Amino acid sequence: MSLLHKAGRLAFPDVEAPGAPPLLEVDDLHTSFRTPLGLVRAVDGVSFTLQRGRTMGLVGESGSGKTVLSRSIMGLLPRANLERSGRVLFSGHDITAMRPRELRQVWGAHIAMVFQDPMTALNPVVRIGRQITEHLRLHLSMSRSEARETAIALLNSVGIPEPRARLRSYPFQLSGGMRQRVMIAIALACGPKLLLADEPTTGLDVTIQAQILDLLAAQQAERYMAMILVTHDLGVVAGRADDVVVMYAGKIVEMGPTNALFSDVKMPYTEALLASIPRLTDPVHTRLSAIEGRPPDLVSPPHGCRFAPRCRYVQARCTEEEPPLVEGDTPGHLFACWFPVGSITTRGPRPTTAAQSGPSS
Amino acid sequence: MPPSPDADAAALPAAGARLAVAASMSVPASSASKRKLGVVFWIAVAWICLVVVMAVFAGLLPIDGPDNLSYLSKLGSSFSHPFGTDELGRDLFSRVIFGSRVSLEVGFGSIFLGLVAGGFAGLIAGYMRGIFDAVTSAVANVILSFPALLLLITVAAFWGRAWWKITLIIAIIATAPLFYVVRSSTISFAGRDFVLAARTMGASRWRIVTREILPNVMPAAISFGLIGVAIAIVAEGTLSFLGLSVAAPTPSWGNIIAEGQSSTAASDPWIWIWPTLIMFMTLLALNIAGDRLQRFFDVREGRL
Amino acid sequence: MNRLRYVATRLGQLVIVLLLVSFLTFLLVHLLPGDPVTTILGPAGTAQTRALLRAQLGLDHSIPVGYAIWLWHALQGNLGQSYLSHQTVASAISQALPIDIELVIISQVLALAIAIPLAMIAARRPGGWLDQVGSSVSFGMLAIPAFVTGVILQQLFAVHYHVFPATGWTSLTSNFVQNVRDAALPSITVALASVAGYMRLLRAEMINTLQEDFITMARSKGLSTPRILMRHAFRPSTFPLLTAAGLSIAAVVSSDFVVEYIFQAPGLGYQAINAIYARDYLILQGDVLVIAVLFVVSLFVVNMLYAVVDPRTRRAAVT
Amino acid sequence: MTVSDPATAPQSAATAAPRPGPGGIAAAPLPPGLFHDGAVLTVEHLVVEFPAPRGRRVHAVSDVSFDVRDGETLGLVGESGCGKSTTGRAIIRVDRPTSGRVVFDGTELTALGPEALRRARTRIQLIFQDPISSLNPRRRVRDIVAEPLAIWQRGTPAEREQRVRDAITAVGLDYDAAADRRPHEFSGGQCQRISIARALMLDPKVVICDEPVSALDVSVQAQILNLLEDMKARYGLTLLFIAHDLAVVRNISDRVAVMYLGRLCELGPSDDVYARPAHPYTVALLASIPEPDPAAARNVTPIAGDIPSPIDPPSGCRFRTRCPFAQQRCTDEVPPLTAIGPERFVACHFPLATSGPRSSAGSAGSSPEPAPPIQVDTPPTAP
């Protein structure tokens, strides 16, 4: 497996020297799309850092900007109709300032990505062998046979039986779980330092999901790799991530070490999200606490806190001023809320039936 | 395809638009209705209407008859003969307009017939499947297996050249692709849950086909049909260019062009350039209108 | 094993379609007004030639038997004899066919050579200025029928500038250079008739393919853009092109006719049209049969190619 | 509603005899107590097979039996390919059962002719997974919801409009804002509300919910689950709730049936099944669920292996290829559904837990009580 760790062409410090920059530092990142409807602010001022060997869970519902964020970190979004500002520092190098040629040396070699749907993310008409070996040969300048042997070793390490035979398979000949394993093998091939896993288990069955999450965790630990686990499922991050970042409408609303965050939720959105999940431990027919309404329009988001229109603790200040992301009592636990959970009592029970307004407001 | 969360992906020009749309999911969904056909589409439609109106009311227009010989007038264009006259002194403008009648009759007539027959068969075959589908698909397949223009030319040669015969043959040829478009579109909609819902609510087959499927299939059929009209006009034009369509004194775009570029008239290229230009504009307008409609309704191209 | 079976099924279908196509060709003669023999021979026919022709066309018998006789003759290469030139239909066809084959090959290679790069350039930046120009031009080209292109090219490059000969044909074997000069304008005309269609189709497919996750995946592996376009995007995008190429053979055959007529290249199309003018129905029937059979067979080949190139069509659908 | 015309019931005579199960083996006898008197829906030895290429067959549902009692919610849970959706669809004969009987409210659905089936289906409605695909994109919401009434010509136009207004309001949408819009102008959750309104128009007895919340975000999922509970109470519905999410199924179901690869593994009151799963597959499923609580113990390793293809399912117990306790017997014999306690059934040769006298915690689920009244919203539980 030493082949996997051949140095890439761009110089990135391989070991964390004291005083070396963190592996990933995202600084006030904004990503917007120009659409016929206006500017869609998908990621709106996001900052965080990630150290080597850590797993960060990035949680949000659809439209929260989590997928766009993970792709902007990599610089993978097509540039047409894209507006981006802020910095993404990878080992101190600003990815947003890189030229396409430099980016391509980072992609696959230093930062790799696992996509949501392996059926669509694997090229349906290219044999698996070539899909694994092509960037091995590109980044690590391997010979055909070296790359082949490495691919077999990789398939073996992600738990694919008969790896040698599998090289000649096409993606459609594999089951969903096997396809996702192949995708992980592709992502791990060049020994990346950062793995972005974008909803890696969303389309999978729950027993297979557990296998894949275990596989990702094992590989992450073995390679001392940093991982960003993007998911809509708080359950997935609760068991697997060191840190959790919760996004809502393009912004980070709460982040912190997993245990600290789950044991002392500060942001009402996180609280509401947790409460809306049915629990195995609750009795049958427990009424769920739904978040009424729907996420805001990212073209013209509401003034103040973006969650305010759906928040049960909402106060006048929330609709006027945007709350900053600040640290609370626990170090490292940040949240963006004027009136964090526990600081104010509810204004009585909310209406139980959904009093939804018309379709578009 | 009908709107889905990423329905307006088609309206966004960039690759990666899906992501942008995914990001804009929370935009009020009424956005989908903001897709526009665009100015170009309406110009194309206006041109088609103009040509059709001129053809229909050609007899009422203050122009010479297409066969009036005016030996006194010059060949070049003038106020009374905007396109000039041909070598026999016939007013070219009038001939182009009267000539459009044959092209449009054959073009729209054949596609209309083909759409009615092929569309009806396609709806039934796509929804009922089974033996009817097998038989109609086989027939359509055989029609498609024949080189269309060859069929047209030979049947015209063996059978005769009346415009209705040509319309009929083109209609038969056009039935096959129109059948396939409607059939495949029907199959894709018939598999949708809303059709299943209608079934479980007890809707009759007739009701499902007319109320649930037909409105969804129509856009594809019509936009494809518009492009079909252009193809049919070209087919007729080719035929009359070869002198195998309507008989000589009756003008049609194809035979005016053929006469115009024959050796005696080669000195004045405008005699064939004018009809060519008008035909070009009409074909362009039909293609653009069809294409814009297709995109408006997000019909995937070329998937037969 | 499975693939053999697939090929066998398709071959069976091919035979059925061929039979139907030949049957329709056989029936053409029955469309002639009045007595076909009188129509074909005109007043000149003697009783003996009339009887011969009647037997040849299978008109003595009921339609199925007549068809069987006619097909039997046709399979032996006996398609009758022109009653004008007294040349056998078979030899007339064998003279004309190579010209068509040459025209089709040159024009299609030309069309694909123009269309593929243009489509890929257009698809890289959909909506960009290259794409807009390309789209407009292709729309314009779609609206110009082959007979107009032919006339324009002829007027421009033959009548006005004398770059190429306006009409005529020299066979490949007798004078290569002259053959190329003769073939240039007709081939370009046929190619232009196909380019726009190919281009639009491939562009649309490429744009769809480029939005697929597997392209983003390929980018995330750090592959270069040309490599992604060629290795990952092009192949999946060509499958519809292949089907379309099959169907556009129809367009080629059609434009072939009129183009050969304009440039007086004595291929099957030119021969057939002259046969129509001369009422030489047996030559016409023979030409129709050959073109139709070639057409059906090439459709079959394209379909088979499609199945070979796309691994997904080989799968036995699970679930 | 019952059809007595023998001409329209050609299968009824055949259903009396024990029918052969898949593979020609006679279906196993059913355990006593599986069926209840007065059950509104009874599914007996249901088999659904689809043709697959090369003359093979997809064994989507193999010998499944259960019933649904009046007013209860039965959850049908399992992973992809387990046949849960096919079962739901076969009940209303959208997918044609290969063999087996479905009796709804005294009518044998599997024996009905087309016209009688059309009538019977009005009282048993289906809600789909994809809320957007289940609404016709070219029609207005008011017409979509009124469609069932229009088909059956019920009421005057004014009455119909009033009923549509009531139903749309009941599912939490503003009638005046929504009625003239088309589905694509709504979010997934709102579309699902519209489908629910439509399903209620014909006053159905049973509603089959086929993964109704799987396509929705968590916060919206909770809204729809609450809405279903409300509608159930308001209209006196019986629900067959099909889903792959065990937590969702537990939340809404009185009883739960676990399926794997076309077969029923386990059936029983939700509390009991979740507290003491008897089938190794149920155990594995429960262990795989990611709980949104970092403190929850994660000492169970997930079961290995992939779900086999339903075209060529394993012999004997279909779970045996992934079962940590599999024995030779599991390969040789199909485990029959057996009673292991009151209301508890399992199809396993070596069940893990036998249900003894039940603990006080989970006794609520076994009695066919009507759904509890709408509760006042419990405050969110901050961990």
Side-chain angles (χ1 to χ4, degrees):
Chain A
M1 286 303 245
S2 64
L3 283 173
L4 297 182
H5 299 292
K6 271 193 186 177
R9 285 170 217 160
L10 270 189
F12 290 108
D14 211 33
V15 199
E16 275 165 290
L23 182 72
L24 180 69
E25 191 174 354
V26 176
D27 182 17
D28 195 28
L29 186 69
H30 294 257
T31 307
S32 311
F33 299 99
R34 287 185 292 269
T35 73
L37 308 164
L39 201 59
V40 175
R41 294 183 181 80
V43 173
D44 200 357
V46 163
S47 308
F48 64 88
T49 54
L50 180 65
Q51 303 291 348
R52 277 199 92 170
R54 303 279 289 182
T55 297
M56 185 184 102
L58 183 57
V59 192
E61 294 184 280
S62 57
S64 63
K66 57 187 191 303
T67 294
V68 175
L69 174 59
S70 69
R71 294 196 182 187
S72 344
I73 288 171
M74 215 166 157
L76 199 56
L77 292 166
R79 301 200 173 193
N81 296 306
L82 185 74
E83 279 181 21
R84 194 170 60 170
S85 69
R87 294 192 308 164
V88 176
L89 298 175
F90 179 72
S91 287
H93 296 65
D94 189 356
I95 288 203
T96 56
M98 281 186 190
R99 293 136 62 91
R101 176 184 289 276
E102 295 170 310
L103 272 177
R104 283 202 296 271
Q105 288 180 30
V106 177
W107 291 345
H110 300 280
I111 309 179
M113 192 154 199
V114 174
F115 290 78
Q116 179 181 131
D117 182 358
M119 189 63 203
T120 60
L122 294 175
N123 194 327
V125 299
V126 176
R127 289 181 203 279
I128 281 158
R130 212 183 85 196
Q131 300 198 47
I132 301 181
T133 53
E134 62 182 348
H135 58 312
L136 278 173
R137 301 192 59 196
L138 174 77
H139 291 303
L140 306 183
S141 315
M142 285 186 182
S143 72
R144 196 177 290 272
S145 59
E146 264 182 318
R148 204 181 127 79
E149 290 311 312
T150 312
I152 291 167
L154 278 164
L155 288 181
N156 209 19
S157 72
V158 296
I160 289 184
E162 298 177 67
R164 198 168 291 271
R166 282 289 152 231
L167 290 180
R168 290 194 55 76
S169 300
Y170 288 99
F172 66 83
Q173 292 167 323
L174 302 181
S175 70
M178 285 298 150
R179 278 196 288 262
Q180 194 58 289
R181 286 171 192 270
V182 168
M183 186 131 75
I184 291 169
I186 292 174
L188 296 176
C190 298
K193 299 182 183 71
L194 173 63
L195 185 69
L196 294 160
D198 184 4
E199 304 251 13
T201 57
T202 299
L204 301 176
D205 280 312
V206 34
T207 54
I208 310 296
Q209 161 172 307
Q211 295 171 2
I212 295 294
L213 290 173
D214 280 1
L215 171 67
L216 279 172
Q219 293 287 340
Q220 184 260 337
E222 188 185 312
R223 293 161 184 269
Y224 196 57
M225 177 173 73
M227 178 158 83
I228 298 182
L229 188 60
V230 182
T231 176
H232 65 275
D233 190 340
L234 279 164
V236 167
V237 293
R240 316 275 173 177
D242 302 310
D243 306 286
V244 175
V245 169
V246 182
M247 281 188 80
Y248 182 76
K251 286 185 171 293
I252 294 181
V253 293
E254 184 160 13
M255 61 191 279
T258 309
N259 286 325
L261 190 139
F262 274 90
S263 60
D264 184 20
V265 170
K266 289 292 188 196
M267 172 68 196
Y269 172 66
T270 318
E271 184 199 48
L273 201 57
L274 273 168
S276 64
I277 302 173
R279 303 294 186 101
L280 284 174
T281 43
D282 288 342
V284 167
H285 298 304
T286 302
R287 193 163 184 85
L288 297 166
S289 166
I291 311 174
E292 300 307 343
R294 50 196 287 198
D297 169 0
L298 292 177
V299 175
S300 47
H303 276 286
C305 173
R306 293 184 178 183
F307 185 60
R310 304 172 77 189
C311 182
R312 56 186 312 207
Y313 307 114
V314 64
Q315 303 290 317
R317 187 181 185 188
C318 302
T319 55
E320 288 155 10
E321 272 181 87
E322 197 172 319
L325 190 66
V326 290
E327 198 164 57
D329 301 334
T330 323
H333 185 176
L334 285 76
F335 49 87
C337 184
W338 295 122
F339 305 99
V341 176
S343 70
I344 191 170
T345 47
T346 324
R347 300 167 302 156
R350 285 180 304 160
T352 48
T353 44
Q356 290 238 323
S357 55
S360 56
S361 46
Chain B
M1 292 298 124
S4 60
D6 52 0
D8 35 9
L12 295 169
R18 283 187 194 169
L19 204 56
V21 171
S24 65
M25 281 255 279
S26 48
V27 173
S30 60
S31 60
S33 59
K34 286 191 185 165
R35 284 181 301 169
K36 283 190 184 137
L37 285 163
V39 180
V40 182
F41 171 80
W42 292 111
I43 293 175
V45 170
W47 176 263
I48 297 167
C49 290
L50 180 72
V51 171
V52 170
V53 168
M54 296 273 266
V56 171
F57 297 107
L60 302 176
L61 292 175
I63 51 173
D64 281 356
D67 306 326
N68 277 7
L69 309 178
S70 58
Y71 297 103
L72 293 175
S73 61
K74 294 177 291 181
L75 283 172
S77 69
S78 65
F79 183 74
S80 55
H81 304 293
F83 291 178
T85 56
D86 66 8
E87 77 273 28
L88 293 178
R90 295 176 295 194
D91 179 40
L92 206 54
F93 183 68
S94 161
R95 285 183 69 74
V96 169
I97 287 177
F98 277 91
S100 71
R101 284 184 157 182
V102 175
S103 299
L104 296 176
E105 276 166 357
V106 172
F108 282 98
S110 59
I111 297 302
F112 176 75
L113 289 178
L115 205 51
V116 170
F120 187 71
L123 266 178
I124 309 264
Y127 186 65
M128 305 293 285
R129 309 302 297 269
I131 185 78
F132 182 81
D133 183 28
V135 171
T136 45
S137 296
V139 171
N141 196 15
V142 170
I143 297 177
L144 276 183
S145 306
F146 228 97
L149 195 70
L150 175 72
L151 188 68
L152 186 57
I153 289 173
T154 37
V155 175
F158 278 100
W159 192 25
R161 310 172 181 178
W163 75 268
W164 65 269
K165 288 182 181 172
I166 288 161
T167 307
L168 197 64
I169 304 163
I170 298 183
I172 291 172
I173 296 168
T175 302
L178 289 168
F179 166 83
Y180 273 117
V181 166
V182 172
R183 176 180 171 273
S184 64
S185 180
T186 303
I187 289 174
S188 86
F189 282 106
R192 294 285 203 105
D193 286 343
F194 68 81
V195 172
L196 192 56
R199 267 173 71 198
T200 60
M201 291 181 302
S204 64
R205 283 169 174 175
W206 178 248
R207 191 178 177 98
I208 289 174
V209 168
T210 54
R211 294 284 184 90
E212 306 287 344
I213 294 178
L214 188 62
N216 286 294
V217 168
M218 282 295 268
I222 287 177
S223 49
F224 197 78
L226 278 176
I227 294 168
V229 171
I231 295 171
I233 288 177
V234 169
E236 192 282 329
T238 308
L239 220 54
S240 51
F241 179 82
L242 295 173
L244 298 172
S245 184
V246 288
T250 313
S252 90
W253 286 343
N255 68 24
I256 304 174
I257 295 168
E259 284 167 22
Q261 66 95 48
S262 70
S263 53
T264 48
S267 53
D268 185 5
W270 285 102
I271 295 177
W272 63 267
I273 289 178
W274 278 118
T276 303
L277 215 57
I278 301 296
M279 181 167 71
F280 170 76
M281 300 279 281
T282 311
L283 295 177
L284 191 62
L286 284 166
N287 278 324
I288 286 176
D291 180 76
R292 292 295 145 106
L293 269 187
Q294 254 178 15
R295 266 196 269 169
F296 183 71
F297 292 109
D298 196 13
V299 182
R300 290 285 288 272
E301 300 172 51
R303 285 273 165 88
L304 287 190
Chain C
M1 210 168 85
N2 189 31
R3 221 181 307 178
L4 265 180
R5 197 158 147 182
Y6 175 77
V7 173
T9 328
R10 295 309 293 256
L11 268 175
Q13 287 172 354
L14 174 71
V15 169
I16 293 170
V17 171
L18 280 177
L19 284 175
L20 276 166
V21 163
S22 63
F23 182 63
L24 288 176
T25 315
F26 162 77
L27 278 186
L28 280 176
V29 170
H30 290 259
L31 278 176
L32 288 171
D35 177 20
V37 174
T38 313
T39 315
I40 291 172
L41 287 183
T46 64
Q48 197 193 354
T49 49
R50 292 177 67 90
L52 256 173
L53 178 61
R54 189 169 289 280
Q56 166 70 33
L57 293 177
L59 290 172
D60 291 336
H61 307 274
S62 63
I63 286 180
V65 178
Y67 170 61
I69 293 169
W70 176 83
L71 186 64
W72 179 242
H73 287 147
L75 285 175
Q76 293 168 318
N78 177 6
L79 287 164
Q81 195 174 18
S82 162
Y83 284 82
L84 293 169
S85 63
H86 299 288
Q87 193 185 16
T88 62
V89 175
S91 82
I93 289 171
S94 63
Q95 277 172 16
L97 192 56
I99 295 168
D100 289 271
I101 292 174
E102 188 184 340
L103 277 183
V104 167
I105 290 175
I106 298 177
S107 65
Q108 291 311 288
V109 169
L110 210 58
L112 289 173
I114 299 170
I116 291 174
L118 286 183
M120 286 174 85
I121 289 168
R124 252 196 83 181
R125 293 263 153 73
W129 69 272
L130 277 172
D131 181 39
Q132 299 215 336
V133 170
S135 287
S136 312
V137 171
S138 69
F139 254 115
M141 278 163 59
L142 277 181
I144 309 179
F147 64 90
V148 172
T149 325
V151 167
I152 292 174
L153 289 179
Q154 192 178 43
Q155 295 286 340
L156 208 61
F157 291 107
V159 177
H160 203 79
Y161 288 113
H162 307 290
V163 186
F164 297 109
T167 56
W169 187 265
T170 317
S171 81
L172 187 64
T173 41
S174 63
N175 184 337
F176 178 74
V177 177
Q178 191 55 37
N179 172 267
V180 170
R181 279 169 53 83
D182 283 337
L185 286 182
S187 308
I188 292 171
T189 311
V190 178
L192 287 180
S194 326
V195 161
Y198 287 157
M199 202 184 129
R200 290 194 59 75
L201 193 78
L202 186 58
R203 170 191 168 273
E205 266 325 300
M206 283 287 277
I207 288 174
N208 281 331
T209 309
L210 286 175
Q211 289 190 10
E212 297 278 355
D213 282 351
F214 63 77
I215 296 300
T216 318
M217 169 97 179
R219 290 181 63 221
S220 84
K221 296 198 300 197
L223 305 182
S224 66
T225 308
R227 191 181 167 95
I228 290 172
L229 285 177
M230 286 312 299
R231 282 301 191 71
H232 284 273
F234 181 63
R235 207 157 83 103
S237 308
T238 50
F239 306 135
L241 186 70
L242 263 180
T243 357
L247 287 177
S248 81
I249 293 171
V252 174
V253 170
S254 312
S255 37
D256 230 22
F257 260 84
V258 75
V259 167
E260 287 179 8
Y261 172 75
I262 292 171
F263 295 100
Q264 299 188 14
L268 289 173
Y270 180 74
Q271 194 174 61
I273 288 167
N274 280 326
I276 293 172
Y277 294 145
R279 301 184 184 284
D280 198 343
Y281 291 104
L282 283 187
I283 292 273
L284 179 58
Q285 195 185 31
D287 287 342
V288 170
L289 184 67
V290 171
I291 295 173
V293 165
L294 283 179
F295 179 76
V296 171
V297 171
S298 22
L299 269 187
F300 170 78
V301 170
V302 166
N303 272 328
M304 294 310 295
L305 216 59
Y306 182 74
V308 170
V309 178
D310 187 349
R312 285 169 297 187
T313 54
R314 288 188 237 140
R315 89 175 111 175
V318 186
T319 67
Chain D
M1 201 48 87
T2 330
V3 176
S4 53
D5 182 2
T8 59
Q11 292 181 18
S12 56
T15 48
R19 60 194 54 251
I25 308 152
L30 295 173
L34 181 67
F35 293 144
H36 304 80
D37 290 337
V40 67
L41 183 69
T42 309
V43 175
E44 206 179 320
H45 297 299
L46 184 71
V47 177
V48 188
E49 291 172 2
F50 300 110
R54 276 176 277 168
R56 302 197 295 175
R57 299 186 72 73
V58 179
H59 301 269
V61 178
S62 305
D63 194 17
V64 164
S65 305
F66 61 87
D67 69 357
V68 190
R69 283 169 293 173
D70 198 1
E72 80 167 341
T73 300
L74 177 73
L76 203 52
V77 71
E79 295 176 285
S80 60
C82 75
K84 56 188 190 299
S85 285
T86 310
T87 304
R89 292 159 62 98
I91 287 172
I92 53 166
R93 277 180 53 188
V94 172
D95 290 336
R96 207 169 180 73
T98 309
S99 65
R101 254 159 58 98
V102 176
V103 179
F104 165 65
D105 216 8
T107 312
E108 190 182 333
L109 292 179
T110 33
L112 295 182
E115 187 52 34
L117 178 67
R118 202 164 83 85
R119 290 186 182 287
R121 271 180 183 163
T122 58
R123 304 202 54 226
I124 179 162
Q125 285 288 309
L126 196 55
I127 296 171
F128 302 89
Q129 169 172 5
D130 182 351
I132 290 158
S133 157
S134 60
L135 303 177
N136 188 336
R138 302 238 172 270
R139 304 190 73 187
R140 295 175 193 285
V141 167
R142 72 160 83 230
D143 297 326
I144 291 173
V145 177
E147 180 71 5
L149 299 179
I151 291 170
W152 293 98
Q153 298 289 307
R154 291 206 185 150
T156 64
E159 285 166 4
R160 278 189 219 168
E161 177 163 349
Q162 189 54 46
R163 288 219 48 196
V164 171
R165 178 183 289 274
D166 290 348
I168 289 179
T169 313
V171 296
L173 293 173
D174 178 353
Y175 178 81
D176 296 313
D180 286 317
R181 291 173 183 266
R182 291 197 167 82
H184 64 82
E185 297 179 59
F186 295 86
S187 67
Q190 289 170 323
C191 284
Q192 203 56 293
R193 289 171 191 271
I194 298 167
S195 323
I196 292 171
R198 175 179 60 185
L200 297 175
M201 291 310 282
L202 293 171
D203 298 315
K205 183 80 207 146
V206 172
V207 177
I208 298 174
C209 308
D210 187 1
E211 304 249 17
V213 294
S214 304
L216 305 175
D217 266 318
V218 190
S219 63
V220 181
Q221 164 179 300
Q223 295 172 8
I224 298 297
L225 288 174
N226 286 346
L227 177 68
L228 280 171
E229 293 273 29
D230 295 344
M231 294 300 108
K232 187 185 162 196
R234 179 163 172 174
Y235 294 96
L237 303 174
T238 302
L239 300 184
L240 179 61
F241 191 93
I242 300 164
H244 65 270
D245 186 324
L246 280 110
V248 166
V249 168
R250 175 187 165 93
N251 177 270
I252 201 165
S253 311
D254 302 295
R255 290 193 303 146
V256 62
V258 183
M259 286 183 74
Y260 182 78
L261 209 59
R263 287 197 192 275
L264 199 59
C265 298
E266 184 158 11
L267 174 66
S270 307
D271 289 325
D272 207 17
V273 170
Y274 282 75
R276 280 181 306 281
H279 198 287
Y281 176 61
T282 316
V283 176
L285 261 187
L286 284 168
S288 306
I289 302 178
E291 270 282 281
D293 179 5
R298 286 209 44 87
N299 50 8
V300 193
T301 44
I303 48 166
D306 260 333
I307 304 170
S309 158
I311 291 184
D312 195 12
S315 66
C317 174
R318 290 190 179 171
F319 185 60
R320 68 172 166 82
T321 52
R322 302 171 76 193
C323 183
F325 313 108
Q327 311 279 325
Q328 184 58 40
R329 188 177 167 202
C330 303
T331 314
D332 302 338
E333 285 175 50
V334 177
L337 197 64
T338 32
I340 52 163
E343 297 287 332
R344 281 296 303 272
F345 304 93
V346 68
C348 179
H349 293 304
F350 310 100
L352 294 169
T354 42
S355 180
R358 240 173 296 128
S359 64
S360 57
S363 56
S366 61
S367 54
E369 288 174 35
I374 301 167
Q375 299 163 351
V376 180
D377 199 6
T378 46
T381 47

